[in-house]
Amino acid sequence: MKLNKSKLTAINFIILIFSLIIALSFMEIVLGSIKLFQLDLKRSENQKILFNHLDKNKISFDKRSALEVYNGIKSEKIIFPKVVPGIKFDEFISLANISNSQIIDCNENGEYSIWRSDRHGFRNPDNIWDEKDLDIIFIGDSFTVGACVQNNQNISGNISKNYSKKILNLGISGSGPLHQFAKLKEY
């Protein structure tokens, strides 16, 4: 079967475009990988500079990663890293952390925040769910849950302590409006 000149030109043009797309995609992957590698190096350099500064000024700071903290504690008690919103399990989406568990949060001020989740996986004393009348319900993200701080330093802990209010905290780090609406409907 002979192809006429116009069909042959069209096929060659399609092959050229397809080859260019493949080549550009490959270059994007290579350049993106190099950029990620450079960011990792920069992060590592910055971490070394920070840790040297902390050591030089005798500032106490837990330098372990969350994985190292987990591995150090897991033999003593059941502990889990915090759950990121939106993890899907078949047809279900996580709205909270693992219930009735010790949760490893983050470390922004020298020590890891480790707290106990309630029966639904939120950062509350478990008996708050037995209360008939609540004064305040918080729904939000990391600010609401009190990421990286101890229980008495987050917003619900401070209000509860200073004003004797019964507070339910439905905050989860990284949650957005749709996730927060789902928590409001569910709980």
Side-chain angles (χ1 to χ4, degrees):
M1 177 175 145
K2 275 190 165 178
L3 296 174
N4 64 23
K5 191 174 181 176
S6 65
K7 285 186 179 180
L8 190 58
T9 303
I11 290 172
N12 286 338
F13 182 74
I14 290 171
I15 291 172
L16 174 71
I17 295 297
F18 186 71
S19 298
L20 282 173
I21 291 171
I22 297 282
L24 290 174
S25 297
F26 179 73
M27 287 300 293
E28 180 72 23
I29 290 169
V30 168
L31 292 175
S33 298
I34 290 171
K35 184 69 174 173
L36 286 175
F37 179 70
Q38 289 172 336
L39 287 173
D40 260 359
L41 283 177
K42 188 68 174 169
R43 186 178 303 118
S44 178
E45 289 171 16
N46 288 342
Q47 190 176 44
K48 286 178 188 174
I49 292 168
L50 172 65
F51 288 165
N52 285 337
H53 174 76
L54 294 170
D55 289 342
K56 189 168 71 173
N57 292 304
K58 296 181 174 72
I59 298 171
S60 174
F61 196 91
D62 190 345
K63 298 174 188 171
R64 298 174 297 168
S65 69
L67 181 60
E68 291 170 326
V69 172
Y70 170 76
N71 285 332
I73 297 174
K74 73 177 182 181
S75 61
E76 301 166 19
K77 54 185 164 184
I78 298 173
I79 192 161
F80 299 98
K82 69 179 174 183
V83 173
V84 180
I87 295 176
K88 294 180 181 179
F89 302 99
D90 292 328
E91 298 173 9
F92 301 100
I93 296 177
S94 66
L95 295 178
N97 287 284
I98 297 169
S99 61
N100 297 316
S101 302
Q102 292 292 110
I103 305 295
I104 300 174
D105 210 335
C106 45
N107 174 13
E108 288 184 356
N109 49 357
E111 64 179 320
Y112 277 91
S113 169
I114 299 174
W115 47 271
R116 180 134 188 97
S117 61
D118 63 21
R119 67 183 79 164
H120 295 290
F122 294 103
R123 190 174 187 173
N124 297 298
D126 194 59
N127 63 350
I128 196 70
W129 293 97
D130 299 327
E131 294 289 336
K132 298 282 188 225
D133 297 315
L134 295 170
D135 296 313
I136 302 170
I137 298 175
F138 285 118
I139 297 177
D141 57 7
S142 56
F143 180 80
T144 307
V145 74
C148 305
V149 298
Q150 302 307 319
N151 284 340
N152 62 344
Q153 297 171 325
N154 67 10
I155 189 168
S156 60
N158 273 306
I159 292 174
S160 179
K161 176 178 62 178
N162 294 324
Y163 299 103
S164 300
K165 299 289 184 184
K166 294 183 243 173
I167 299 172
L168 178 64
N169 187 341
L170 300 179
I172 292 291
S173 295
S175 66
L178 190 57
H179 190 262
Q180 293 164 14
F181 180 66
K183 287 187 290 187
L184 181 64
K185 295 284 283 179
E186 184 70 21
Y187 298 102

PDB file of all heavy atoms in Angstrom, residues 134-154:
ATOM      1  N   LEU A 134     -22.569  21.229  76.276  1.00  0.00           N
ATOM      2  CA  LEU A 134     -21.232  21.760  76.021  1.00  0.00           C
ATOM      3  C   LEU A 134     -21.320  23.274  75.896  1.00  0.00           C
ATOM      4  O   LEU A 134     -22.324  23.811  75.421  1.00  0.00           O
ATOM      5  CB  LEU A 134     -20.660  21.171  74.733  1.00  0.00           C
ATOM      6  CG  LEU A 134     -20.399  19.670  74.732  1.00  0.00           C
ATOM      7  CD1 LEU A 134     -20.071  19.186  73.332  1.00  0.00           C
ATOM      8  CD2 LEU A 134     -19.275  19.343  75.693  1.00  0.00           C
ATOM      9  N   ASP A 135     -20.271  23.952  76.317  1.00  0.00           N
ATOM     10  CA  ASP A 135     -20.244  25.407  76.196  1.00  0.00           C
ATOM     11  C   ASP A 135     -19.730  25.834  74.821  1.00  0.00           C
ATOM     12  O   ASP A 135     -20.243  26.782  74.225  1.00  0.00           O
ATOM     13  CB  ASP A 135     -19.356  26.017  77.292  1.00  0.00           C
ATOM     14  CG  ASP A 135     -19.915  25.743  78.679  1.00  0.00           C
ATOM     15  OD1 ASP A 135     -21.127  25.943  78.874  1.00  0.00           O
ATOM     16  OD2 ASP A 135     -19.139  25.319  79.565  1.00  0.00           O
ATOM     17  N   ILE A 136     -18.703  25.143  74.328  1.00  0.00           N
ATOM     18  CA  ILE A 136     -18.060  25.532  73.069  1.00  0.00           C
ATOM     19  C   ILE A 136     -17.677  24.276  72.291  1.00  0.00           C
ATOM     20  O   ILE A 136     -17.215  23.301  72.869  1.00  0.00           O
ATOM     21  CB  ILE A 136     -16.787  26.364  73.330  1.00  0.00           C
ATOM     22  CG1 ILE A 136     -17.099  27.621  74.139  1.00  0.00           C
ATOM     23  CG2 ILE A 136     -16.098  26.749  72.027  1.00  0.00           C
ATOM     24  CD1 ILE A 136     -15.869  28.355  74.640  1.00  0.00           C
ATOM     25  N   ILE A 137     -17.852  24.346  70.963  1.00  0.00           N
ATOM     26  CA  ILE A 137     -17.340  23.309  70.071  1.00  0.00           C
ATOM     27  C   ILE A 137     -16.417  24.001  69.073  1.00  0.00           C
ATOM     28  O   ILE A 137     -16.836  24.929  68.384  1.00  0.00           O
ATOM     29  CB  ILE A 137     -18.462  22.572  69.319  1.00  0.00           C
ATOM     30  CG1 ILE A 137     -19.379  21.863  70.303  1.00  0.00           C
ATOM     31  CG2 ILE A 137     -17.869  21.586  68.316  1.00  0.00           C
ATOM     32  CD1 ILE A 137     -20.581  21.205  69.655  1.00  0.00           C
ATOM     33  N   PHE A 138     -15.167  23.555  69.034  1.00  0.00           N
ATOM     34  CA  PHE A 138     -14.207  24.090  68.083  1.00  0.00           C
ATOM     35  C   PHE A 138     -14.086  23.135  66.901  1.00  0.00           C
ATOM     36  O   PHE A 138     -13.967  21.929  67.079  1.00  0.00           O
ATOM     37  CB  PHE A 138     -12.815  24.228  68.711  1.00  0.00           C
ATOM     38  CG  PHE A 138     -12.678  25.386  69.651  1.00  0.00           C
ATOM     39  CD1 PHE A 138     -12.380  25.162  70.983  1.00  0.00           C
ATOM     40  CD2 PHE A 138     -12.822  26.685  69.210  1.00  0.00           C
ATOM     41  CE1 PHE A 138     -12.239  26.220  71.861  1.00  0.00           C
ATOM     42  CE2 PHE A 138     -12.681  27.750  70.079  1.00  0.00           C
ATOM     43  CZ  PHE A 138     -12.390  27.517  71.405  1.00  0.00           C
ATOM     44  N   ILE A 139     -14.115  23.703  65.701  1.00  0.00           N
ATOM     45  CA  ILE A 139     -13.862  22.946  64.480  1.00  0.00           C
ATOM     46  C   ILE A 139     -12.813  23.732  63.711  1.00  0.00           C
ATOM     47  O   ILE A 139     -12.954  24.930  63.527  1.00  0.00           O
ATOM     48  CB  ILE A 139     -15.135  22.787  63.626  1.00  0.00           C
ATOM     49  CG1 ILE A 139     -16.170  21.995  64.394  1.00  0.00           C
ATOM     50  CG2 ILE A 139     -14.817  22.123  62.301  1.00  0.00           C
ATOM     51  CD1 ILE A 139     -17.483  21.831  63.687  1.00  0.00           C
ATOM     52  N   GLY A 140     -11.752  23.050  63.286  1.00  0.00           N
ATOM     53  CA  GLY A 140     -10.711  23.775  62.575  1.00  0.00           C
ATOM     54  C   GLY A 140      -9.533  22.904  62.213  1.00  0.00           C
ATOM     55  O   GLY A 140      -9.631  21.688  62.154  1.00  0.00           O
ATOM     56  N   ASP A 141      -8.407  23.585  62.019  1.00  0.00           N
ATOM     57  CA  ASP A 141      -7.199  22.904  61.556  1.00  0.00           C
ATOM     58  C   ASP A 141      -6.141  22.856  62.648  1.00  0.00           C
ATOM     59  O   ASP A 141      -6.459  22.683  63.816  1.00  0.00           O
ATOM     60  CB  ASP A 141      -6.683  23.591  60.291  1.00  0.00           C
ATOM     61  CG  ASP A 141      -6.408  25.076  60.494  1.00  0.00           C
ATOM     62  OD1 ASP A 141      -6.484  25.556  61.642  1.00  0.00           O
ATOM     63  OD2 ASP A 141      -6.096  25.758  59.498  1.00  0.00           O
ATOM     64  N   SER A 142      -4.871  23.016  62.294  1.00  0.00           N
ATOM     65  CA  SER A 142      -3.768  22.863  63.248  1.00  0.00           C
ATOM     66  C   SER A 142      -3.828  23.875  64.386  1.00  0.00           C
ATOM     67  O   SER A 142      -3.458  23.568  65.517  1.00  0.00           O
ATOM     68  CB  SER A 142      -2.428  22.969  62.528  1.00  0.00           C
ATOM     69  OG  SER A 142      -2.334  24.186  61.833  1.00  0.00           O
ATOM     70  N   PHE A 143      -4.287  25.084  64.117  1.00  0.00           N
ATOM     71  CA  PHE A 143      -4.405  26.080  65.182  1.00  0.00           C
ATOM     72  C   PHE A 143      -5.424  25.611  66.219  1.00  0.00           C
ATOM     73  O   PHE A 143      -5.216  25.733  67.419  1.00  0.00           O
ATOM     74  CB  PHE A 143      -4.821  27.437  64.599  1.00  0.00           C
ATOM     75  CG  PHE A 143      -4.952  28.498  65.643  1.00  0.00           C
ATOM     76  CD1 PHE A 143      -3.826  29.137  66.139  1.00  0.00           C
ATOM     77  CD2 PHE A 143      -6.189  28.859  66.144  1.00  0.00           C
ATOM     78  CE1 PHE A 143      -3.936  30.115  67.120  1.00  0.00           C
ATOM     79  CE2 PHE A 143      -6.312  29.822  67.122  1.00  0.00           C
ATOM     80  CZ  PHE A 143      -5.179  30.462  67.610  1.00  0.00           C
ATOM     81  N   THR A 144      -6.530  25.079  65.761  1.00  0.00           N
ATOM     82  CA  THR A 144      -7.591  24.632  66.655  1.00  0.00           C
ATOM     83  C   THR A 144      -7.158  23.437  67.490  1.00  0.00           C
ATOM     84  O   THR A 144      -7.380  23.405  68.704  1.00  0.00           O
ATOM     85  CB  THR A 144      -8.852  24.264  65.846  1.00  0.00           C
ATOM     86  OG1 THR A 144      -9.203  25.363  65.013  1.00  0.00           O
ATOM     87  CG2 THR A 144     -10.011  23.920  66.749  1.00  0.00           C
ATOM     88  N   VAL A 145      -6.534  22.448  66.863  1.00  0.00           N
ATOM     89  CA  VAL A 145      -6.123  21.249  67.601  1.00  0.00           C
ATOM     90  C   VAL A 145      -4.958  21.549  68.533  1.00  0.00           C
ATOM     91  O   VAL A 145      -4.771  20.880  69.539  1.00  0.00           O
ATOM     92  CB  VAL A 145      -5.789  20.086  66.644  1.00  0.00           C
ATOM     93  CG1 VAL A 145      -4.473  20.291  65.940  1.00  0.00           C
ATOM     94  CG2 VAL A 145      -5.777  18.765  67.381  1.00  0.00           C
ATOM     95  N   GLY A 146      -4.182  22.583  68.220  1.00  0.00           N
ATOM     96  CA  GLY A 146      -3.021  22.907  69.047  1.00  0.00           C
ATOM     97  C   GLY A 146      -1.814  22.105  68.628  1.00  0.00           C
ATOM     98  O   GLY A 146      -1.128  21.514  69.457  1.00  0.00           O
ATOM     99  N   ALA A 147      -1.559  22.081  67.320  1.00  0.00           N
ATOM    100  CA  ALA A 147      -0.420  21.318  66.800  1.00  0.00           C
ATOM    101  C   ALA A 147       0.875  21.824  67.411  1.00  0.00           C
ATOM    102  O   ALA A 147       1.079  23.026  67.565  1.00  0.00           O
ATOM    103  CB  ALA A 147      -0.364  21.444  65.280  1.00  0.00           C
ATOM    104  N   CYS A 148       1.721  20.900  67.798  1.00  0.00           N
ATOM    105  CA  CYS A 148       3.074  21.160  68.285  1.00  0.00           C
ATOM    106  C   CYS A 148       3.141  21.760  69.685  1.00  0.00           C
ATOM    107  O   CYS A 148       4.212  22.154  70.126  1.00  0.00           O
ATOM    108  CB  CYS A 148       3.857  22.052  67.322  1.00  0.00           C
ATOM    109  SG  CYS A 148       3.915  21.420  65.646  1.00  0.00           S
ATOM    110  N   VAL A 149       2.020  21.884  70.379  1.00  0.00           N
ATOM    111  CA  VAL A 149       2.052  22.380  71.758  1.00  0.00           C
ATOM    112  C   VAL A 149       1.383  21.358  72.682  1.00  0.00           C
ATOM    113  O   VAL A 149       0.673  20.468  72.230  1.00  0.00           O
ATOM    114  CB  VAL A 149       1.365  23.762  71.908  1.00  0.00           C
ATOM    115  CG1 VAL A 149       2.074  24.819  71.071  1.00  0.00           C
ATOM    116  CG2 VAL A 149      -0.104  23.708  71.558  1.00  0.00           C
ATOM    117  N   GLN A 150       1.618  21.510  73.957  1.00  0.00           N
ATOM    118  CA  GLN A 150       1.028  20.607  74.948  1.00  0.00           C
ATOM    119  C   GLN A 150      -0.451  20.951  75.147  1.00  0.00           C
ATOM    120  O   GLN A 150      -0.918  22.027  74.773  1.00  0.00           O
ATOM    121  CB  GLN A 150       1.800  20.699  76.265  1.00  0.00           C
ATOM    122  CG  GLN A 150       3.288  20.377  76.136  1.00  0.00           C
ATOM    123  CD  GLN A 150       3.563  19.041  75.477  1.00  0.00           C
ATOM    124  OE1 GLN A 150       2.896  18.046  75.735  1.00  0.00           O
ATOM    125  NE2 GLN A 150       4.561  19.011  74.601  1.00  0.00           N
ATOM    126  N   ASN A 151      -1.202  20.044  75.761  1.00  0.00           N
ATOM    127  CA  ASN A 151      -2.658  20.219  75.929  1.00  0.00           C
ATOM    128  C   ASN A 151      -3.023  21.523  76.619  1.00  0.00           C
ATOM    129  O   ASN A 151      -3.995  22.177  76.253  1.00  0.00           O
ATOM    130  CB  ASN A 151      -3.249  19.049  76.715  1.00  0.00           C
ATOM    131  CG  ASN A 151      -3.383  17.804  75.872  1.00  0.00           C
ATOM    132  OD1 ASN A 151      -3.386  17.871  74.651  1.00  0.00           O
ATOM    133  ND2 ASN A 151      -3.480  16.667  76.529  1.00  0.00           N
ATOM    134  N   ASN A 152      -2.273  21.919  77.632  1.00  0.00           N
ATOM    135  CA  ASN A 152      -2.634  23.137  78.372  1.00  0.00           C
ATOM    136  C   ASN A 152      -2.257  24.402  77.606  1.00  0.00           C
ATOM    137  O   ASN A 152      -2.582  25.501  78.042  1.00  0.00           O
ATOM    138  CB  ASN A 152      -1.982  23.137  79.748  1.00  0.00           C
ATOM    139  CG  ASN A 152      -0.470  23.137  79.672  1.00  0.00           C
ATOM    140  OD1 ASN A 152       0.120  22.841  78.639  1.00  0.00           O
ATOM    141  ND2 ASN A 152       0.162  23.459  80.778  1.00  0.00           N
ATOM    142  N   GLN A 153      -1.592  24.275  76.465  1.00  0.00           N
ATOM    143  CA  GLN A 153      -1.177  25.445  75.697  1.00  0.00           C
ATOM    144  C   GLN A 153      -2.031  25.681  74.453  1.00  0.00           C
ATOM    145  O   GLN A 153      -1.882  26.714  73.813  1.00  0.00           O
ATOM    146  CB  GLN A 153       0.294  25.292  75.264  1.00  0.00           C
ATOM    147  CG  GLN A 153       1.244  25.227  76.435  1.00  0.00           C
ATOM    148  CD  GLN A 153       2.650  24.858  76.004  1.00  0.00           C
ATOM    149  OE1 GLN A 153       2.844  24.075  75.082  1.00  0.00           O
ATOM    150  NE2 GLN A 153       3.627  25.440  76.677  1.00  0.00           N
ATOM    151  N   ASN A 154      -2.918  24.734  74.096  1.00  0.00           N
ATOM    152  CA  ASN A 154      -3.746  24.979  72.915  1.00  0.00           C
ATOM    153  C   ASN A 154      -4.960  25.822  73.297  1.00  0.00           C
ATOM    154  O   ASN A 154      -5.220  26.092  74.466  1.00  0.00           O
ATOM    155  CB  ASN A 154      -4.140  23.671  72.210  1.00  0.00           C
ATOM    156  CG  ASN A 154      -5.067  22.797  73.018  1.00  0.00           C
ATOM    157  OD1 ASN A 154      -5.604  23.196  74.046  1.00  0.00           O
ATOM    158  ND2 ASN A 154      -5.257  21.572  72.548  1.00  0.00           N
TER     159      ASN A 154
END
